[in-house]
């Protein structure tokens, strides 16, 4: 059976509400980022019409073309894919949040472009918690160093951390990745004496478990946009 986009959005929202409830949290504590990387702009606009406001994209060139007409002011665009340093100038102008900061050279490039555009850029550090999703994220052993560098970059505003769980047969198997990211965030907040509130974790396969473990932002693509 093919459900309408409106119906799929409602289902995801009600699953978010139940997961938050199970964890003694409230629905408002969790922001749904609709990962629209696989759909055309008219579908993004339709989702906006159904009340979604935060969208995730993973390719800079595609995003430039897709949002040539910008979204309304109350919408936000999140960069969730690996970012090449030579695209960081464009990314600084396009995105409200860059969630995939994973290495020192990218921090330097973003800082430089943000300064010349006279902008402050909201960023998350993407962490490779399990070490299994090889290409994505800063290795655990380098996270302290990278956090220190971002916090010392005047044009960058570090909001928190992002992680992806490896694909597992059950969502439950992803739980250690989410508790790992939460514990890491808690320690870094203490060590650097800074509030780092965002935990962007959980996708179609595992967002309910991520919410139970403290996700503040879930990035959901297929459950919203796939038939
Ligand atoms: C594609 C993607 C998502 C969404 O994944 P779904 O399984 O479609 O929900 C979330 N985060 C990142 C980093 C992605 O690349």
């Amino acid at each position: 059976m093919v459900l309408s986009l409106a119906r799929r959005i409602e289902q995801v929202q009600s699953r978010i509400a139940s997961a938050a409830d199970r964890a003694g949290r409230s629905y408002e504590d969790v922001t749904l980022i609709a990962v629209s990387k696989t759909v055309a702009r008219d579908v993004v606009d339709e989702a906006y019409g159904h009340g979604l406001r935060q969208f995730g994209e993973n390719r800079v060139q595609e995003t430039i073309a897709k949002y040539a007409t910008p979204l309304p002011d109350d919408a936000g665009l999140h960069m969730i894919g690996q970012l090449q340093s030579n695209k960081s100038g464009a990314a600084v102008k396009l995105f409200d949040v860059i969630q995939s900061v994973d290495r020192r050279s990218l921090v330097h490039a973003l800082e430089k472009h943000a300064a010349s555009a006279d902008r402050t850029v909201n960023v998350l550090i993407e962490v490779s918690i399990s070490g299994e999703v090889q290409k994505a994220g800063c290795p655990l052993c380098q996270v302290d160093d990278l956090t220190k560098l971002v916090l010392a970059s005047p044009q960058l505003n570090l909001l928190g951390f992002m992680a992806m769980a490896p694909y597992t047969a059950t969502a439950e198997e992803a739980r250690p990745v989410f508790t790992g990211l939460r514990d890491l965030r808690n320690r870094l907040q203490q060590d650097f004496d800074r509030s780092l509130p965002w935990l962007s974790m959980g996708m179609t396969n595992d967002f309910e478990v991520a919410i139970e473990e403290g996700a503040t932002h879930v990035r959901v693509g297929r459950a919203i946009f796939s038939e």
Side-chain angles (χ1 to χ4, degrees), residues 35 37 80 162 164 203-204 219-222:
V35 176
K37 66 190 182 192
I80 61 167
M162 187 260 257
M164 254 168 108
M203 322 198 316
T204 291
R219 308 178 310 272
V220 180
R222 286 171 300 138

Side-chain angles (χ1 to χ4, degrees), residues 33 35 37-38 57-58 80-82 99 126 136 162-164 200 202-205 207 218-224 226:
I33 298 172
V35 176
K37 66 190 182 192
T38 60
E57 295 285 343
N58 67 344
I80 61 167
Q82 212 178 26
Q99 298 205 0
E126 180 178 3
M162 187 260 257
M164 254 168 108
S200 172
M203 322 198 316
T204 291
N205 281 334
F207 69 88
V218 291
R219 308 178 310 272
V220 180
R222 286 171 300 138
I224 295 174
S226 298

Side-chain angles (χ1 to χ4, degrees), residues 86-209:
N86 64 8
K87 304 256 169 67
S88 56
V92 158
K93 298 194 183 98
L94 271 174
F95 292 102
D96 296 285
V97 185
I98 297 175
Q99 298 205 0
S100 48
V101 173
D102 61 354
R103 61 194 188 279
R104 294 180 65 90
S105 57
L106 179 59
V107 174
H108 292 307
L110 288 169
E111 172 69 14
K112 187 183 86 185
H113 288 289
S116 61
D118 197 21
R119 288 186 188 223
T120 303
V121 181
N122 294 314
V123 301
L124 304 182
I125 290 175
E126 180 178 3
V127 184
S128 173
I129 290 283
S130 64
E132 282 175 55
V133 186
Q134 252 117 32
K135 289 175 296 174
C138 174
L140 263 183
C141 60
Q142 294 167 19
V143 173
D144 286 59
D145 182 56
L146 194 62
T147 301
K148 190 172 171 188
L149 181 66
V150 176
L151 289 175
S153 304
Q155 307 299 129
L156 306 185
N157 180 34
L158 182 61
L159 295 171
F161 300 91
M162 187 260 257
M164 254 168 108
Y167 183 82
T168 52
T170 67
E172 194 51 42
E173 290 171 68
R175 192 179 295 272
V177 170
F178 305 137
T179 55
L181 191 70
R182 184 193 60 211
D183 292 349
L184 177 70
R185 186 279 306 270
N186 292 348
R187 180 180 66 73
L188 291 168
Q189 275 192 150
Q190 289 229 311
D191 288 358
F192 290 98
D193 194 23
R194 277 281 299 259
S195 167
L196 300 167
W198 285 38
L199 285 174
S200 172
M201 54 191 199
M203 322 198 316
T204 291
N205 281 334
D206 50 28
F207 69 88
E208 287 147 306
V209 174

